Amino acid sequence: MAQLWGGRFTKETDKLVYNFNASISFDRKFYEQDIRGSKAHVAMLAKQGILTEEERQKITAGLDGILADVEAGKLEITSEYEDIHSFVEANLIERIGDAGKKLHTGRSRNDQVALDMKLYVRDEIDEIDGELKKLLMALQAIMEEHIHTYMPGFTHLQKAQPVTLAHHVGAYFEMFRRDRSRLFDIRRRMNTCPLGAGALAGTTYPLDRAYTAELLGFDEPTRNSMDSVSDRDYVIELLSALSTVMMHLSRFSEEIIIWNSNEYRFVEIDDAYSTGSSIMPQKKNPDIAELVRGKTGRVYGALTSILTTMKGLPLAYNKDMQEDKELTFDAIDTVKGCLALFTGMVSTMQFRKENMEASAKNGFTNATDAADYLVNHGVPFRDAHGIVGQLVLTCIEKGISLDELPLEEYKAVSPVFEEDIYEAISMRTCVEKRITYGAPGPDVMEQVIAANKEYLENN
Ligand code: ARG
């Protein structure tokens, strides 16, 4: 049990208490960030004349050695230390002697952990952003290929009007693009350096906080030391943004599960991304999509948990805040894993174009267009709606689509119909006529795809 604070205590900590209090089992994850922060801190201390240049060099070399040994697997981060900060400091002193004892000058674990967590979150935001970009590129590739792949668009999960696969996938492109922009906002807002806030009230040493901030890539130091050590807003914002990413992934997963079902057969998930059944030989299950949908719950859970942890905390630091880590780490790893797998799954998935188009036709998705045909020939829309409703009923009785209904049947309900009705209600026409910006019509779709391309090139 290696502790940094034994001085005022006369008794050993109870073993259970020690274990309950310790955070090494999870804060070991940010050993690199902890060392990076310490190096910046000593560089600043030396610049301010609080440490000598020789001490700075010794400490920095010692810290570099610890980092290298941990990464090479030569130095293990064990539960013999209370937390990652104690681990690094104890190892430093062991390596370089007394100079190591000066590392913590003008610093508290409160501002140290606030810094480590920010550095970690910031690094992970960049990684998640990279995964989101890969997903967007996969979606863009599908969109480019499927401008003329017709499928039913749904409302209430009932076939509504024809769209294209490019258009449907384009909706998800927008969602994941917003997710990136949310992460960007969070990163910008959180990019202030808490180091130098001390335990809560700053320090008596002449620290140059702006210098440390700059060394660590922050825009500026935080403005209030009490807020610095007790702010976890950025964790909450991150978990909220990650919950939204998961919500998007989960909705898309749900659609893929439906599309992959025996009834729909719009897609075929690649063998590499499906699993079988131990008893039913015919089965090929969309487990990856189901797991992504399922894991959404634990990310929402992390958000609810941290919001609840923070709600009653008085200023400034309280140990409750140690609870910010495990769930955040888990949520980050979950999201990164889900994004990577999901990207792999969608980019290897086969789209069954014929089934999609047949489904659009069989679902009367062109009924609105048949009514529009009448309107274009002078029939008031409300009458046209009724006429086409009658035709749909006839088709249902006969078990056929509007495309298959003979012209006599059309004419029997309204003499306005001519042979060109079939062209007017073809999937191609229905989609091509949807020319408003943002609609599935091929010209406007091309414009959006070009805009997406430019966005991906510049962001
Ligand atoms: N393990 C602690 C945390 O995660 C580090 C800060 C401890 N500070 C303290 N005064 N006990 O929040």
Side-chain angles (χ1 to χ4, degrees), residues 200-413:
L200 78 162
T203 78
T204 54
Y205 301 93
L207 306 186
D208 184 346
R209 295 194 56 213
Y211 182 67
T212 335
E214 194 192 319
L215 287 180
L216 292 166
F218 288 101
D219 297 329
E220 55 185 354
T222 49
R223 277 183 298 274
N224 181 293
S225 59
M226 290 175 85
D227 177 52
S228 310
V229 293
S230 62
D231 165 33
R232 295 294 181 274
D233 289 5
Y234 64 96
V235 175
I236 292 169
E237 286 192 45
L238 173 73
L239 291 174
S240 166
L242 295 188
S243 294
T244 308
V245 170
M246 289 304 294
M247 180 266 288
H248 293 153
L249 284 175
S250 185
R251 292 182 70 180
F252 206 168
S253 292
E254 169 70 9
E255 299 215 270
I256 289 171
I257 293 163
I258 294 173
W259 292 352
N260 186 65
S261 67
N262 303 134
E263 283 69 23
Y264 275 75
R265 300 193 63 250
F266 282 9
V267 298
E268 169 119 16
I269 299 175
D270 195 78
D271 276 3
Y273 287 89
S274 320
T275 53
S277 156
S278 61
I279 173 169
M280 298 165 283
Q282 84 282 14
K283 293 276 268 187
K284 192 175 143 188
N285 297 326
D287 290 37
I288 299 307
E290 290 171 34
L291 267 175
V292 169
R293 188 178 59 183
K295 283 178 190 291
T296 304
R298 61 202 273 173
V299 179
Y300 290 6
L303 173 62
T304 308
S305 168
I306 182 77
L307 279 169
T308 312
T309 297
M310 294 302 293
K311 77 177 262 293
L313 296 190
L315 288 176
Y317 178 81
N318 297 272
K319 193 64 175 245
D320 315 46
M321 289 161 64
Q322 179 166 291
E323 285 294 310
D324 65 349
K325 292 174 197 63
E326 280 168 287
L327 291 166
T328 303
F329 294 162
D330 181 75
I332 288 171
D333 292 344
T334 300
V335 170
K336 280 198 295 186
C338 287
L339 280 169
L341 276 162
F342 196 87
T343 301
M345 181 179 70
V346 291
S347 41
T348 52
M349 209 158 71
Q350 297 289 321
F351 295 98
R352 301 253 175 264
K353 293 186 189 192
E354 337 68 57
N355 294 350
M356 288 182 165
E357 184 166 350
S359 167
K361 278 186 188 157
N362 295 337
F364 304 104
T365 58
N366 47 6
T368 316
D369 297 83
D372 288 347
Y373 174 94
L374 291 173
V375 172
N376 288 331
H377 289 79
V379 181
F381 182 76
R382 195 46 60 211
D383 294 341
H385 188 284
I387 292 167
V388 177
Q390 254 179 283
L391 291 171
V392 166
L393 202 58
T394 312
C395 287
I396 291 172
E397 276 160 11
K398 293 182 186 284
I400 57 175
S401 69
L402 280 172
D403 308 64
E404 293 160 332
L405 190 70
L407 188 58
E408 309 84 74
E409 300 266 9
Y410 276 98
K411 281 192 165 299
V413 190

